[in-house]
Amino acid sequence: MNLLLLHPHQYLHDNLWCLDERQGRHVRDILGLAEGDTFRAGILDGDVGVARVESIKNNEITILFNVESHPTPAPSLSLLLALPRPKMLKRILIDATSLGIKRIVLINSWKVDKSYWQTPNLKAGLLREKMLLGLEQARDTSLPELILAPRFKPFVEDELDRWAGPGRRLLAHPGDFPPMPCDLSEPVTLAIGPEGGWTDYEVEMLQRQGFECHSFGTRILRVETALPALVGRLMRLP
Amino acid sequence: MNLLLLHPHQYLHDNLWCLDERQGRHVRDILGLAEGDTFRAGILDGDVGVARVESIKNNEITILFNVESHPTPAPSLSLLLALPRPKMLKRILIDATSLGIKRIVLINSWKVDKSYWQTPNLKAGLLREKMLLGLEQARDTSLPELILAPRFKPFVEDELDRWAGPGRRLLAHPGDFPPMPCDLSEPVTLAIGPEGGWTDYEVEMLQRQGFECHSFGTRILRVETALPALVGRLMRLP
């Protein structure tokens, strides 16, 4: 936790906030802070700044929070991701969020096992919890918008164009395609397939929506490795 | 496992090889192959090609292997990595290997917990096992060369220059530095610090060995996220 995220319901009055149990444990037991000590905090979907421990009474910790700046800017990169296997979904959401991705669609694909859509990991609360961990890691406050698209064709045909909006649409796909570009200044929508890749039919459907195929080398990478590798390549550094 | 890796001691005669227990389980139980079926295989530190199941007798599987091509080329990227926490070391080694990194130094740093050097994970056999998994993932055969450098100063002062050799030496470091470049055609040695970063003293020592500081944005990333993001950015795609 590199930034403590304050949620609106934690506000008391006069810039005072109360910490929840997990935050309290972090401040007291991991950071080992006492009254008067300061640490970095931010308001969910708001600004970042410095918090000072005002009082520690049993399990109740009150802090005074002062805004210092806007959160770190995010790359203009939206992610269309074939639903990963449940074990990796959590990690991928933390990673995607820490890398600054603000718009994510988890979509079905021929090679996504149907059972993945039944997993309890897909409950909105759990997805949100993982994205909050990603924000705390990257010192960000702005929660990504996450959409589930359990049917590929209707989403791609009827909604994807509007969702992706302006900018380039890129697809990492093995084959004789131009290499994946890097350091792009325009907005990007990146499509990442399941283990085993999109089917030809799915690639055609995405191409019809303006996605360009690009090669990312001949190595087969796990989705959780390919995602940061592609984002690190595409994103424009300030 | 996208490529079955054959080790020299598995060779029988006339291009016939016997599978070990893990490989046998993969071929029989996961791929569900029978006599006559084919799959992709490669010889450790050698070429890749196609294997055909010759015989399955109880737990003994014999295959016929025919070379087709050299393994996928690797990016010219060496990695100087502060020893990660044990839980993540395995995953980082699999990732680094699947991304094609062939030269790795795990080095000490002020912020590396001393206990990390005592972990059983650092046994050569276990490190090698993880790198083999990375090769199988990426359909590669060429095992990385891995060096442990439990003392920072002597390695950096006396050995790093020779080890890194020609090419650029890059350090991702927060601050007012030029952005991390991308798609580099020359060889690169990349230094990645521990959680919390290199100390100022360590950065100075690395700079004295020709490492240039570059910014990789203001987000704090976990090492296991930063590594693929940086490699994906730096590597030259064919």
Side-chain angles (χ1 to χ4, degrees), chain B:
Chain B
M1 194 192 290
N2 296 306
L3 181 88
L4 187 140
L5 262 184
L6 299 166
H7 298 243
H9 70 266
Q10 295 178 259
Y11 188 68
L12 300 171
H13 56 84
D14 301 308
N15 294 336
L16 289 173
W17 301 69
C18 68
L19 301 191
D20 69 21
E21 200 193 318
R22 186 178 72 99
Q23 293 169 337
R25 270 202 313 272
H26 185 78
V27 162
R28 201 183 42 219
D29 304 340
I30 297 180
L31 299 180
L33 302 184
E35 288 177 12
D37 289 339
T38 59
F39 58 94
R40 297 196 65 81
I43 299 174
L44 183 62
D45 289 319
D47 290 328
V48 295
V50 169
R52 194 181 66 205
V53 180
E54 283 297 291
S55 70
I56 303 185
K57 280 177 193 150
N58 301 322
N59 286 326
E60 271 196 30
I61 299 182
T62 309
I63 59 143
L64 181 79
F65 174 68
N66 284 307
V67 165
E68 283 194 338
S69 64
H70 297 311
T72 188
S76 228
L77 204 155
S78 303
L79 181 64
L80 179 72
L81 179 69
L83 183 65
R85 59 187 191 284
K87 215 174 107 183
M88 291 317 302
L89 175 60
K90 298 182 208 173
R91 182 196 154 73
I92 287 171
L93 280 184
I94 297 175
D95 271 7
T97 307
S98 72
L99 286 160
I101 294 174
K102 297 297 173 205
R103 303 175 73 238
I104 304 170
V105 168
L106 297 176
I107 193 167
N108 195 32
S109 155
W110 183 256
K111 291 181 191 158
V112 167
D113 195 300
K114 278 196 182 62
S115 68
Y116 295 180
W117 288 102
Q118 314 304 328
T119 160
N121 284 344
L122 279 187
K123 281 185 188 151
L126 283 173
L127 300 175
R128 181 184 153 95
E129 195 183 285
K130 297 307 162 193
M131 295 191 290
L132 289 173
L133 291 177
L135 293 181
E136 291 176 347
Q137 167 65 42
R139 286 204 182 143
D140 195 356
T141 63
S142 158
L143 201 66
E145 167 204 297
L146 178 75
I147 295 172
L148 301 184
R151 294 176 64 213
F152 182 86
K153 194 165 176 256
F155 183 85
V156 171
E157 282 186 337
D158 306 335
E159 301 186 52
L160 179 54
D161 183 57
R162 190 160 29 94
W163 180 78
R168 286 179 78 169
R169 301 176 182 184
L170 302 174
L171 182 61
H173 199 58
D176 191 17
F177 299 109
M180 188 58 78
C182 57
D183 209 45
L184 294 179
S185 54
E186 68 255 74
V188 174
T189 301
L190 172 66
I192 298 184
E195 310 278 336
W198 306 105
T199 64
D200 291 345
Y201 171 77
E202 289 166 344
V203 170
E204 274 163 39
M205 296 264 297
L206 290 170
Q207 284 175 317
R208 237 174 280 151
Q209 300 299 326
F211 281 78
E212 320 154 21
C213 289
H214 286 273
S215 151
F216 193 52
T218 52
R219 300 174 171 277
I220 305 176
L221 299 176
R222 299 193 294 187
V223 173
E224 58 268 30
T225 317
L227 169 68
L230 284 161
V231 174
R233 184 175 189 84
L234 292 168
M235 71 182 181
R236 185 63 173 268
L237 290 176

